[in-house]
Amino acid sequence: FQSVRMVLERSLMTLDDILLPPAENITLRSGTPADLEHLRPIARSAYHLTRFFTDPCFPRERSAELYDIWLTKNLHHEMADEVVVAEMDGVPVGYTSCQLGKAAASKEGIIQLVGVDETRRGGRIGQRVLAQACAWMREQGMETVSVTTQGHNVPAVRFYERLGFMTRQVQFWYHKWFHGCDVDEGQL
């Protein structure tokens, strides 16, 4: 199985092009493990265009579980430094997780996950949580931010490009199955 991995980046020196005025019905805040109840269903369903979901040898349930675990670890700050949550009427409906550059000289933050409840998409919630995460990373001393997605995930690529991200790197990634897989069963 082959996929195209794209790394996009943008400067954090100015964010005027992506910041939106406050919305009356949306609150942005730091995420906590208490948000898992509402955010897990988003994590399990939002990434159907990733290389794990599109590889016929990865069972769909296992792919969903991967993103559930990733979000859980992010909200416990095991893999992310910050998770920005969007709340509507007291209910979490979207999030962005991010990580600060770990090397001493690194001034690049990383967007890990962006997810929005599918019934709330189109309301610029993704843009709001991403912009808030970028502002937070800039406050922490980061100068640029990068995000990785799949080249075939055109909606994600366009989303990031609309927010000022530009392609930095394109790579081919391969999944080699040494024991084969039963594509019909989705089992290894």
Side-chain angles (χ1 to χ4, degrees):
F1 176 80
Q2 172 189 318
S3 66
V4 176
R5 178 181 191 263
M6 293 182 67
V7 178
L8 298 101
E9 70 179 356
R10 71 159 284 144
S11 171
L12 293 175
M13 301 317 285
T14 180
L15 298 175
D16 295 340
D17 59 325
I18 63 172
L19 294 176
L20 295 171
E24 289 183 27
N25 62 339
I26 298 174
T27 302
L28 300 175
R29 60 172 177 77
S30 290
T32 70
D35 294 318
L36 279 169
E37 174 188 352
H38 294 285
L39 298 180
R40 266 193 170 125
I42 298 170
R44 295 183 72 83
S45 66
Y47 306 105
H48 64 276
L49 290 176
T50 66
R51 64 189 171 105
F52 301 106
F53 273 96
T54 57
D55 183 334
C57 292
F58 271 104
R60 293 188 66 75
E61 181 54 34
R62 296 285 296 177
S63 297
E65 182 181 359
L66 177 138
Y67 288 99
D68 186 332
I69 292 168
W70 192 354
L71 174 66
T72 300
K73 288 183 178 228
N74 283 343
L75 285 167
H76 284 93
H77 295 283
E78 294 174 33
M79 295 176 64
D81 294 306
E82 178 65 283
V83 179
V84 176
V85 170
E87 215 176 64
M88 293 180 79
D89 301 320
V91 177
V93 296
Y95 59 88
T96 297
S97 62
C98 57
Q99 185 177 35
L100 301 174
K102 298 299 180 199
S106 177
K107 298 285 185 186
E108 179 177 279
I110 299 167
I111 296 294
Q112 294 183 342
L113 295 173
V114 178
V116 176
D117 182 300
E118 63 185 271
T119 65
R120 305 289 186 167
R121 292 184 188 152
R124 300 181 110 181
I125 293 168
Q127 182 175 344
R128 289 178 191 283
V129 292
L130 184 84
Q132 183 68 28
C134 286
W136 182 84
M137 286 185 281
R138 183 174 66 185
E139 289 170 6
Q140 307 308 308
M142 300 296 105
E143 295 175 359
T144 60
V145 60
S146 66
V147 64
T148 301
T149 192
Q150 277 65 56
H152 66 263
N153 190 347
V154 175
V157 172
R158 287 186 178 157
F159 169 75
Y160 294 118
E161 288 175 341
R162 282 192 305 272
L163 298 176
F165 285 78
M166 297 175 59
T167 302
R168 176 175 78 196
Q169 185 178 44
V170 177
Q171 298 173 313
F172 290 105
W173 277 39
Y174 299 92
H175 293 179
K176 172 70 173 157
W177 298 102
F178 293 99
H179 302 291
C181 73
D182 185 342
V183 174
D184 293 332
E185 297 290 322
Q187 301 293 318
L188 298 180

Short mmCIF file of all heavy atoms in Angstrom, two decimals, residues 6 29 35 47 70 130 132 144 183:
data_model
loop_
_atom_site.label_atom_id
_atom_site.label_comp_id
_atom_site.label_asym_id
_atom_site.label_seq_id
_atom_site.Cartn_x
_atom_site.Cartn_y
_atom_site.Cartn_z
N MET A 6 2.17 14.59 3.08
CA MET A 6 2.47 16.00 2.84
C MET A 6 2.71 16.70 4.18
O MET A 6 1.95 16.50 5.13
CB MET A 6 1.31 16.70 2.13
CG MET A 6 1.09 16.23 0.72
SD MET A 6 -0.25 17.13 -0.09
CE MET A 6 0.46 18.77 -0.20
N ARG A 29 -11.18 26.79 24.78
CA ARG A 29 -10.51 26.59 26.07
C ARG A 29 -9.54 25.43 25.96
O ARG A 29 -9.55 24.68 24.98
CB ARG A 29 -11.53 26.34 27.16
CG ARG A 29 -12.37 25.09 26.89
CD ARG A 29 -13.25 24.73 28.07
NE ARG A 29 -14.10 23.60 27.79
CZ ARG A 29 -13.71 22.33 27.78
NH1 ARG A 29 -12.46 22.02 28.01
NH2 ARG A 29 -14.56 21.36 27.53
N ASP A 35 -13.10 15.86 28.81
CA ASP A 35 -13.69 16.09 27.48
C ASP A 35 -13.79 14.81 26.65
O ASP A 35 -14.42 14.80 25.59
CB ASP A 35 -12.87 17.12 26.70
CG ASP A 35 -12.93 18.49 27.34
OD1 ASP A 35 -14.02 18.90 27.77
OD2 ASP A 35 -11.87 19.14 27.41
N TYR A 47 -11.17 10.81 10.82
CA TYR A 47 -9.93 10.62 10.07
C TYR A 47 -10.03 9.54 9.00
O TYR A 47 -9.05 8.85 8.70
CB TYR A 47 -8.79 10.34 11.06
CG TYR A 47 -8.72 11.43 12.11
CD1 TYR A 47 -9.17 11.21 13.40
CD2 TYR A 47 -8.25 12.69 11.78
CE1 TYR A 47 -9.14 12.22 14.35
CE2 TYR A 47 -8.22 13.71 12.71
CZ TYR A 47 -8.67 13.47 13.99
OH TYR A 47 -8.65 14.48 14.91
N TRP A 70 -4.81 8.13 20.57
CA TRP A 70 -3.99 9.32 20.34
C TRP A 70 -4.64 10.53 21.02
O TRP A 70 -3.98 11.28 21.74
CB TRP A 70 -3.85 9.55 18.84
CG TRP A 70 -2.82 10.56 18.41
CD1 TRP A 70 -2.07 11.39 19.21
CD2 TRP A 70 -2.44 10.85 17.08
NE1 TRP A 70 -1.24 12.17 18.43
CE2 TRP A 70 -1.46 11.86 17.12
CE3 TRP A 70 -2.84 10.35 15.85
CZ2 TRP A 70 -0.87 12.39 15.97
CZ3 TRP A 70 -2.25 10.87 14.71
CH2 TRP A 70 -1.27 11.87 14.77
N LEU A 130 -7.78 25.78 15.38
CA LEU A 130 -6.43 25.81 14.82
C LEU A 130 -5.78 27.17 15.06
O LEU A 130 -4.62 27.24 15.47
CB LEU A 130 -6.45 25.48 13.33
CG LEU A 130 -5.05 25.40 12.72
CD1 LEU A 130 -4.47 24.01 12.96
CD2 LEU A 130 -5.08 25.71 11.26
N GLN A 132 -6.44 29.29 17.42
CA GLN A 132 -6.14 29.41 18.85
C GLN A 132 -4.89 28.62 19.22
O GLN A 132 -4.06 29.08 20.01
CB GLN A 132 -7.34 28.94 19.68
CG GLN A 132 -7.16 29.11 21.16
CD GLN A 132 -7.13 30.56 21.60
OE1 GLN A 132 -7.73 31.43 20.96
NE2 GLN A 132 -6.43 30.85 22.67
N THR A 144 7.24 29.05 13.68
CA THR A 144 6.53 28.40 12.57
C THR A 144 5.73 27.23 13.14
O THR A 144 5.97 26.77 14.26
CB THR A 144 7.49 27.86 11.48
OG1 THR A 144 8.37 26.90 12.08
CG2 THR A 144 8.29 28.97 10.82
N VAL A 183 -7.85 -8.94 2.84
CA VAL A 183 -8.50 -7.66 2.56
C VAL A 183 -10.00 -7.76 2.80
O VAL A 183 -10.61 -6.85 3.32
CB VAL A 183 -8.19 -7.19 1.12
CG1 VAL A 183 -8.98 -5.94 0.78
CG2 VAL A 183 -6.70 -6.93 0.98
#
